[in-house]
Amino acid sequence: MTPITPYPITPWRTVPKDIPRPDYVGGSGPAPYGGPHVQSVETIEKMRIAGRIAAQAMRAAAEAIAPGVTTDEIDRVGHEFLLDHHAYPSTLGYRGFPKSLCTSVNEVICHGIPDTRPLEDGDIVKIDLTAYVDGVHGDNCATYFCGEVDQEAVRLTEVTHEAMMRGIRAVKPGRQVNVIGRVIEKYAARFGYSSVRDYTGHGVHTAFHSGLVIPHYDEPSFDTVIERGMTFTVEPMITTGGYGWQQWDDGWTVVTADGSRCAQFEHTIVVTDSGAEILTVP
């Protein structure tokens, strides 16, 4: 397939003034989060609402995927869905990111900026969308097919989704977060795939990224103990080749160093007494 290259980017989309914005919008970035990783019952309930809207918006945006459709059009659909539900697109203005969701196609690992490139038959498209509602964020991502894709793309996508679910099922109070990455990397390796290391899951709640790191590979140094009431993402990025990466000059778009394709899935979860509850469900 033809390597993905940069295309022109359209202007930022507007958001009505009556929709509350995160504090970082208009600034250079968010203030460091210094609060707890365990969230209150009230915050978790708000996150259920934000997570549901995020999941619905992502699916609405995905319905626009078709050969000839631009990723900018996917961004427009997701943006308008969020506004219709009085939600702010968390990525818009986050450290200067210019769009309301991320679209990462084929070898793009993550943080792809929606642009005017028309999608091609056989592309795999990752949509990463976060909704900010009532002071909290709901963050999710999934991989979708454009037209008819080959069997390798199907298998990569199925394996990546299962890797995420296995990582989520590994979540138990008292375990260390590294168990999540160990399970994910081990499963991906069974198929000859690699789990990207330098882009991880993260704590999410009132902060978009709290500083809590959730690895997708086996690394014992990530030894934070999982506690009931923690909220974070599990979002493996799995490639058919190696886990090396390069970043475009735009400061955002991350591609595989060897040109191999990448799939990703992500849910926001809350830790329960016995495991995890997925919050990003429609």
Side-chain angles (χ1 to χ4, degrees):
M1 301 186 73
T2 305
I4 303 297
T5 56
Y7 272 67
I9 297 170
T10 62
W12 289 32
R13 303 188 193 280
T14 59
V15 178
K17 292 182 179 179
D18 64 328
I19 295 180
R21 291 140 164 76
D23 291 342
Y24 54 74
V25 175
S28 59
Y33 177 74
H37 295 314
V38 173
Q39 302 304 304
S40 67
V41 171
E42 292 77 15
T43 295
I44 293 166
E45 184 55 38
K46 289 180 179 180
M47 290 183 66
R48 287 192 180 95
I49 296 170
R52 182 172 66 248
I53 293 172
Q56 292 171 345
M58 182 178 69
R59 292 192 178 186
E63 290 178 1
I65 294 174
V69 173
T70 67
T71 51
D72 186 71
E73 171 64 10
I74 295 169
D75 180 77
R76 183 194 66 79
V77 174
H79 179 88
E80 292 186 359
F81 187 100
L82 290 173
L83 300 193
D84 288 345
H85 291 77
H86 208 68
Y88 186 91
S90 300
T91 58
L92 186 62
Y94 179 79
R95 300 188 184 277
F97 191 82
K99 290 295 177 180
S100 298
L101 50 81
C102 299
T103 48
S104 302
V105 180
N106 296 340
E107 72 270 23
V108 180
I109 295 173
C110 59
H111 303 162
I113 301 173
D115 60 23
T116 53
R117 174 190 180 271
L119 291 172
E120 298 178 1
D121 188 64
D123 283 343
I124 58 172
V125 186
K126 285 85 75 182
I127 297 177
D128 191 342
L129 184 151
T130 308
Y132 180 75
V133 184
D134 200 12
V136 301
H137 302 267
D139 189 1
N140 66 171
C141 176
T143 300
Y144 299 94
F145 301 147
C146 179
E148 296 294 325
V149 301
D150 59 34
Q151 285 304 304
E152 182 186 63
V154 173
R155 186 175 76 157
L156 172 65
T157 301
E158 291 175 345
V159 168
T160 304
H161 183 267
E162 177 62 18
M164 175 190 66
M165 295 306 297
R166 288 179 180 229
I168 291 172
R169 289 195 292 270
V171 172
K172 307 282 186 204
R175 292 179 173 177
Q176 295 179 345
V177 296
N178 56 49
V179 70
I180 301 170
R182 188 175 311 122
V183 166
I184 288 170
E185 185 173 52
K186 184 177 180 180
Y187 183 71
R190 285 170 50 182
F191 301 87
Y193 298 156
S194 300
S195 183
V196 173
R197 299 187 169 198
D198 293 330
Y199 293 88
T200 67
H202 54 90
V204 61
H205 31 75
T206 57
F208 193 178
H209 301 86
S210 72
L212 174 65
V213 175
I214 307 298
H216 304 127
Y217 67 103
D218 188 6
E219 178 45 73
S221 66
F222 291 110
D223 57 1
T224 302
V225 175
I226 299 170
E227 299 179 65
R228 181 183 182 276
M230 280 183 168
T231 55
F232 53 80
T233 69
V234 177
E235 50 178 301
M237 290 148 259
I238 307 295
T239 76
T240 58
Y243 55 75
W245 57 272
Q246 298 172 340
Q247 189 177 66
W248 285 0
D249 292 341
D250 62 19
W252 286 104
T253 306
V254 178
V255 298
T256 56
D258 56 11
S260 61
R261 286 183 291 184
C262 178
Q264 182 186 14
F265 285 88
E266 172 187 21
H267 276 307
T268 295
I269 67 166
V270 58
V271 181
T272 65
D273 287 331
S274 58
E277 174 192 348
I278 296 173
L279 299 177
T280 39
V281 290

